[in-house]
Amino acid sequence: MGKSDTATPRERYRAQVRTEIKEHAWQQIATAGASALSLNAIAKQMGVSGPALYRYFAGRDELITELIRDAYRSLADTLGAAAAEGADLSGLAHVLRGWALADPHRYFLLYGTPVPGYHAPDDTTAISSEIMATLLTACAALTQGAQGAQGAQDAPFAAHLEKHRAWAGDHSAPPAALHLAMSFWTRMHGVLSLELAGHFTGMGFDPDLLFAAELDDLLP
């Protein structure tokens, strides 16, 4: 029996209202950006008073935090499901791009410019560790026994990461996998951020092919 099956009518109603508030929040973000998010504006759209919404979210920051957690959860589950079905690092890269293209505003809330005045709680990005763990596992599988892996492991930055691996949590990935994961994360997000922000518009090339070329160049 799931949690929703045991919830009281009041709890179900509260969950429904919170969901509706978040839907309006995403619409606001799509229209004016996360920095313009306003609970009072959402209340007006819903036909209720501003104070009424504060029974569901204490303020703008709590709402943004909830949206960020939802976005991280979505990406973590999407990548995790792909990995469970056998996707390698290349496959995960295309899953990541598909997720980003499906909802650029959700992507930019996680990986775009920080929202002015917003300070995320320490546990806000806890789910992101699941995302990195999925990538590290794929990187470890790819670098294990791969030609050139020893050279990558001996590279100065890989040696640096071996001693500065807090970002990898308790994952046991070797230096070569750490290096590949960091390179993957920065390069793939670099291409995605430029594409989603429209910087390739009018340049006359296919972003799909650029992404594939960058991925091919990155993989050992």
Side-chain angles (χ1 to χ4, degrees):
M1 181 177 292
K3 183 177 180 180
S4 60
D5 296 326
T6 60
T8 66
R10 176 173 294 193
E11 290 171 337
R12 289 195 296 269
Y13 176 75
R14 179 178 177 80
Q16 290 170 0
V17 174
R18 283 173 60 88
T19 297
E20 185 177 355
I21 292 171
K22 288 191 286 185
E23 289 172 352
H24 282 286
W26 283 119
Q27 292 170 8
Q28 275 195 13
I29 290 173
T31 301
S35 61
L37 193 62
S38 166
L39 276 176
N40 287 331
I42 292 174
K44 185 176 181 180
Q45 291 176 324
M46 294 176 63
V48 299
S49 66
L53 259 62
Y54 286 90
R55 295 200 298 267
Y56 301 94
F57 291 97
R60 184 205 67 157
D61 285 6
E62 183 179 315
L63 176 55
I64 291 176
T65 296
E66 185 77 3
L67 297 177
I68 290 174
R69 286 191 177 121
D70 286 352
Y72 271 129
R73 181 76 270 152
S74 173
L75 180 55
D77 289 349
T78 299
L79 291 175
E85 293 176 0
D88 59 8
L89 188 62
S90 178
L92 293 177
H94 290 288
V95 169
L96 169 64
R97 183 168 183 263
W99 183 89
L101 291 175
D103 193 338
H105 302 291
R106 178 179 56 180
Y107 174 87
F108 279 124
L109 184 63
L110 296 184
Y111 301 112
T113 303
V115 179
Y118 171 72
H119 301 284
D122 292 339
D123 67 339
T124 300
T125 58
I127 302 172
S128 67
S129 63
E130 295 180 34
I131 298 170
M132 188 56 69
T134 298
L135 296 178
L136 283 167
T137 298
C139 289
L142 193 60
T143 56
Q144 184 177 8
Q147 184 175 2
Q150 184 60 47
Q153 182 163 322
D154 293 337
F157 186 58
H160 172 78
L161 286 178
E162 176 65 5
K163 297 180 180 179
H164 299 81
R165 56 186 299 153
W167 57 275
D170 59 0
H171 201 286
S172 60
L178 293 174
H179 193 178
L180 178 58
M182 184 62 73
S183 297
F184 174 92
W185 203 234
T186 54
R187 288 179 66 171
M188 294 299 96
H189 279 302
V191 174
L192 282 172
S193 295
L194 288 170
E195 179 182 5
L196 294 176
H199 292 294
F200 298 154
T201 302
M203 293 183 70
F205 64 83
D206 187 344
D208 290 355
L209 294 179
L210 172 63
F211 188 85
E214 287 293 295
L215 183 58
D216 287 343
D217 186 59
L218 177 65
L219 299 180

